[in-house]
Amino acid sequence: MNENTLEKLKKEQTPLYYYDLPLLKETVEVAKNSADRFDYTIHYAIKANNNPKILKEISSLGLGADCVSGKEIELAIENGFDSHSIVFAGVGKTDREISIALQNNILAFNVESVQELEVIASIAESLSTKACIALRINPNVDAKTHHYITTGLDENKFGIMMHELDNCLAIIKNSTSLELVGLHFHVGSQITDLNVYKRLCIKVNEWNNYFYERGYNVPILNLGGGLGINYCEPDEESIVNFSNFFYLFHQFLELREGQKVHFELGRSLVANCGTLVSRVLYIKNGIKKNFAILDAGMTELLRPALYQAYHKVEKWEAGNIAEETNESNNIRYDIVGPICESSDCFGKDVILPKLERGDLIAIRSAGAYGEVMASRYNLRQELNYFYKE
Ligand SMILES: *Cc1c(COP(=O)(O)O)cnc(C)c1O
């Protein structure tokens, strides 16, 4: 943090989302270059962050989009994504959303149930068009992350049940409005153990064979997203190791003639370029704890309250970001928000330099699933923004 930026920041109304656009650009470029080495395609998962500045930056660097609603499809196109680069996922696509996707000639629907397949077929037929579809298969691979962000197990609501796949193939065969273009897998989020992806590759190879034996050599294998980032040390590892990630698929996926591999990355592209910046409103010295009460809360960043997510908390002060090591005036704080919920807490027993009313507090790695989950609960004021250009 240079002093100029900090001085400007200090004049801003908080809470605000601070976005480091040069870091975003570098991250996306590294990811794209790493993927290009193996001729892999990346679709940015828009649900992670749909801020127009971020969408424009990512689309300008040539990524496709991964959408989970009709509105996301429209927003992606408005912000520069090629409509034919869009994949559309979600267990509950409405008729209206399916029509929007068809009218925009998207690359593929990631279909999650037999009934959805039938509905897409009938809407495509009524619009006299053809729907390109990928079947989302639940590979029963444990992502080993928080159970709220695990999606690839038999007990999850996502994907088509294995015993229904033959039924799907029969429907596809009998329909003139469906074209099977891919298989889709997504096992969860914030996955930092690459062995999870190795196990996924093994399952994907099996499913690829299964479809091949039934006469389908699908052109697209979509491996989803979920690559995790380092929330503990956002500066030491500001960009995840994309080349290791893609190389693993290169090692373990068995592709057939003409098959292309696609990914849907969200968090790993945008998480570290965002910081929630807040001010200390009050310090309360409790009997057992000291509380630092911020002007930002779960209404600006829900992840800690929603799934006990960890975000690094820092005091941003002149000259540099405050060092927390070896300082004799360090104090332990529970960093809490102003919202009327006990779960409105960003961190317990966080060791920080002594805080005072008005100090700027940075909650790091908030670029993914941060701003998009903001709510007006407690009738909160509008968010403010600061873009580092
Ligand atoms: C959320 C989601 C992604 C992106 O996940 P990240 O963990 O942000 O990379 C990709 N594909 C699907 C189907 C998703 O639901």
Side-chain angles (χ1 to χ4, degrees):
M1 174 69 39
N2 69 42
E3 249 172 83
N4 263 343
T5 314
L6 192 72
E7 283 313 307
K8 280 193 213 152
L9 255 183
K10 277 187 175 164
K11 298 195 184 87
E12 292 286 331
Q13 178 188 298
T14 50
L16 65 82
Y17 266 96
Y18 169 96
Y19 288 119
D20 183 337
L21 297 178
L23 176 61
L24 172 68
K25 182 164 192 266
E26 192 189 341
T27 307
V28 175
E29 280 172 349
V30 169
K32 180 142 196 325
N33 292 338
S34 312
D36 282 349
R37 277 181 45 213
F38 305 111
D39 197 21
Y40 294 166
T41 301
I42 307 174
H43 302 264
Y44 167 56
I46 284 183
K47 75 174 193 285
N49 191 318
N50 61 30
N51 181 302
K53 280 219 185 214
I54 287 185
L55 295 184
K56 287 199 177 87
E57 185 72 60
I58 296 177
S59 66
S60 75
L61 296 168
L63 269 61
D66 167 31
C67 300
V68 292
S69 72
K71 285 267 185 198
E72 279 194 359
I73 292 174
E74 289 169 338
L75 194 71
I77 294 169
E78 261 168 49
N79 286 286
F81 288 94
D82 178 1
S83 64
H84 196 60
S85 78
I86 295 176
V87 292
F88 182 20
V91 290
K93 303 177 187 77
T94 66
D95 295 15
R96 192 175 163 273
E97 291 175 317
I98 291 167
S99 300
I100 290 171
L102 285 169
Q103 278 152 2
N104 284 295
N105 192 25
I106 65 163
L107 180 66
F109 288 86
N110 293 332
V111 176
E112 310 228 6
S113 70
V114 176
Q115 202 166 27
E116 182 194 330
L117 189 63
E118 291 168 333
V119 170
I120 291 174
S122 86
I123 296 176
E125 202 165 322
S126 72
L127 293 173
S128 312
T129 183
K130 212 164 181 160
C132 292
I133 55 136
L135 296 177
R136 178 167 182 177
I137 297 172
N138 191 329
N140 200 21
V141 169
D142 190 349
K144 301 221 155 67
T145 65
H146 192 280
H147 60 282
Y148 278 11
I149 51 176
T150 294
T151 58
L153 285 173
D154 282 342
E155 65 217 59
N156 297 121
K157 70 179 174 184
F158 300 98
I160 295 173
M161 310 288 156
M162 293 179 196
H163 66 271
E164 291 184 320
L165 283 172
D166 282 326
N167 191 9
C168 288
L169 286 181
I171 293 169
I172 292 164
K173 204 169 202 163
N174 290 326
S175 167
T176 51
S177 54
L178 293 176
E179 185 177 344
L180 181 64
V181 298
L183 303 180
H184 175 238
F185 305 84
H186 175 71
V187 293
S189 204
Q190 186 49 21
I191 297 166
T192 48
D193 175 4
L194 287 187
N195 283 314
V196 169
Y197 288 111
K198 185 178 163 186
R199 287 196 290 276
L200 173 62
C201 287
I202 292 164
K203 292 284 172 91
V204 171
N205 292 337
E206 288 170 15
W207 285 110
N208 200 12
N209 285 338
Y210 174 97
F211 281 84
Y212 189 77
E213 282 160 11
R214 283 156 182 77
Y216 292 92
N217 185 23
V218 295
I220 295 174
L221 296 179
N222 183 342
L223 278 285
L227 177 60
I229 63 136
N230 188 340
Y231 279 98
C232 295
E233 297 300 342
D235 295 315
E236 278 169 37
E237 199 185 346
S238 58
I239 301 179
V240 298
N241 196 325
F242 288 105
S243 46
N244 280 356
F245 174 71
F246 291 119
Y247 182 65
L248 182 128
F249 293 92
H250 176 69
Q251 276 181 299
F252 294 106
L253 271 185
E254 293 160 8
L255 300 184
R256 295 182 182 277
E257 184 77 24
Q259 285 188 320
K260 288 273 159 65
V261 184
H262 289 227
F263 293 89
E264 303 165 335
L265 297 178
R267 186 191 313 272
S268 52
L269 297 175
V270 294
N272 268 336
C273 82
T275 298
L276 175 60
V277 181
S278 171
R279 273 192 174 81
V280 176
L281 286 176
Y282 303 105
I283 299 294
K284 182 147 92 173
N285 299 314
I287 295 168
K288 291 191 177 152
K289 289 175 173 284
N290 299 303
F291 294 95
I293 300 161
L294 307 185
D295 63 5
M298 62 192 286
T299 41
E300 286 69 45
L301 180 63
L302 184 60
R303 299 185 69 255
L306 185 63
Y307 24 66
Q308 297 141 345
Y310 172 84
H311 286 267
K312 189 170 192 192
V313 177
E314 293 170 344
K315 175 179 174 182
W316 277 5
E317 57 187 4
N320 218 323
I321 292 168
E323 279 298 327
E324 61 193 56
T325 46
N326 289 331
E327 297 238 359
S328 54
N329 66 340
N330 279 351
I331 296 181
R332 251 170 228 275
Y333 294 98
D334 276 14
I335 308 290
V336 301
I339 308 301
C340 308
E341 299 287 345
S342 296
S343 60
D344 184 28
C345 175
F346 289 120
K348 289 198 195 293
D349 294 319
V350 181
I351 297 169
L352 290 173
K354 190 170 190 315
L355 297 178
E356 285 173 16
R357 176 171 160 82
D359 283 344
L360 284 183
I361 297 294
I363 301 162
R364 302 290 308 276
S365 313
Y369 308 106
E371 186 192 337
V372 282
M373 287 194 193
S375 79
R376 309 278 322 270
Y377 179 46
N378 284 205
L379 208 51
R380 300 281 289 162
Q381 69 179 23
E382 302 279 316
L383 270 173
N384 191 19
Y385 298 93
F386 188 98
Y387 299 97
K388 181 182 168 195
E389 305 277 351

